[in-house]
Amino acid sequence: RVTVGRQRINWGINTVSNPNDLFNIYSFYDFDYPERPGSDAIRVQHFLSWASRVELAVSPAREISETVAAALYAFNTRGYDVQLISGYFKNRLAVGGGWAGSIGQTGFKGEAMFFTDLGNTEQDLGTNIVAGLSADYMFDNSLYLVVEGLYNQAGGQENFILLGQRLSPDNPSFSKFQFTVQVQYPFTPIISGSLAAITYPDEEAFFAYPSISVSILQDLDFNLFTQIFAVGENSAFSGAGNVAAASLKWNF
């Protein structure tokens, strides 16, 4: 299968942080995710069996130092979906992989990537290891729980600029350590809610993200959410502020 043009190449596995996602990394703070553009890329997929495949993808840029090119090999072993990734990420070598499986009735996922500079660069980013581990569980009452931890050796971003700013897989967080808990619950067949909480120990910061969704009509949904930051004076989130927003989504 060959796909050429604007497309989404989503290699991420975890719910919140995806260092495996070299092409279209997802930002948990971006509440308008369905409208996020993809990458201008060439993608070749060869399916070896029902659970294994090889992918090659290239997203070219005017400058070679901004180009992304990588290969992925995915397979299943002992009930686990495993993927191995190697490639070129904006003048850096990227090597890593991830898995998705379960321990009993609990989902168990993880991603890890190693990045290092290739030759001289204007920004000497050095070597960085990014690793995320997550578990998820569906209770009998339909309460869905996700717990995730992220380690970013580079220490994260210095400043939080915009809720929709694009993160980078070689530095996908605003702190060295990040711990997330998220719960989702359908109160009725037409009303559902969720609450996410993230703590950033080395930034002395806390993030809360409550939201509620109501199906007004069969093709019309109403969403209400808030994003709240509680931060210290020298935190990367010191200029983030708080947000409350509502949206109507019409499917046609």
Side-chain angles (χ1 to χ4, degrees):
R1 178 184 297 169
V2 179
T3 310
V4 180
R6 181 66 56 87
Q7 57 186 296
R8 291 182 180 177
I9 305 175
N10 295 323
W11 288 355
I13 296 175
N14 286 331
T15 303
V16 180
S17 303
N18 303 116
N20 277 188
D21 223 338
L22 299 180
F23 294 90
N24 292 130
I25 191 166
Y26 159 72
S27 172
F28 190 72
Y29 310 97
D30 185 359
F31 55 86
D32 199 21
Y33 172 70
E35 300 302 322
R36 183 173 60 85
S39 295
D40 294 321
I42 301 172
R43 185 185 192 183
V44 180
Q45 297 171 287
H46 179 58
F47 299 89
L48 305 172
S49 69
W50 66 273
S52 62
R53 72 186 189 281
V54 176
E55 293 192 27
L56 297 174
V58 178
S59 179
R62 294 183 182 274
E63 300 292 336
I64 188 65
S65 60
E66 293 297 316
T67 293
V68 180
L72 176 146
Y73 172 52
F75 59 95
N76 181 277
T77 177
R78 298 185 179 182
Y80 277 76
D81 292 322
V82 180
Q83 61 184 33
L84 304 175
I85 298 171
S86 180
Y88 176 92
F89 180 80
K90 299 181 178 181
N91 210 32
R92 307 189 79 189
L93 171 67
V95 180
W99 74 87
S102 62
I103 300 175
Q105 299 299 314
T106 302
F108 181 50
K109 303 174 183 177
E111 299 181 36
M113 291 296 293
F114 168 83
F115 296 91
T116 189
D117 294 341
L118 293 172
N120 297 325
T121 60
E122 293 183 2
Q123 292 182 332
D124 186 9
L125 301 176
T127 297
N128 190 28
I129 297 174
V130 185
L133 192 66
S134 70
D136 59 90
Y137 186 81
M138 177 73 75
F139 292 88
D140 293 338
N141 62 354
S142 297
L143 176 71
Y144 181 60
L145 171 67
V146 178
V147 178
E148 183 175 317
L150 178 74
Y151 169 72
N152 181 3
Q153 184 186 20
Q157 310 287 335
E158 294 183 358
N159 295 297
F160 184 88
I161 302 174
L162 296 170
L163 289 172
Q165 75 181 93
R166 298 193 69 173
L167 299 175
S168 177
D170 61 341
N171 193 0
S173 67
F174 294 92
S175 59
K176 189 171 186 176
F177 296 96
Q178 175 179 297
F179 301 98
T180 305
V181 176
Q182 182 181 26
V183 292
Q184 299 176 352
Y185 183 71
F187 298 102
T188 72
I190 63 171
I191 301 176
S192 61
S194 69
L195 173 63
I198 304 178
T199 180
Y200 316 86
D202 46 310
E203 288 292 338
E204 298 180 353
F206 178 82
F207 172 70
Y209 186 179
S211 66
I212 190 167
S213 177
V214 181
S215 177
I216 300 175
L217 300 172
Q218 185 174 358
D219 55 359
L220 186 65
D221 295 327
F222 172 76
N223 299 282
L224 176 66
F225 73 90
T226 59
Q227 293 187 339
I228 303 168
F229 289 91
V231 302
E233 294 182 359
N234 299 319
S235 171
F237 299 95
S238 58
N242 302 314
V243 173
S247 67
L248 283 172
K249 185 193 298 182
W250 176 37
N251 298 294
F252 59 92

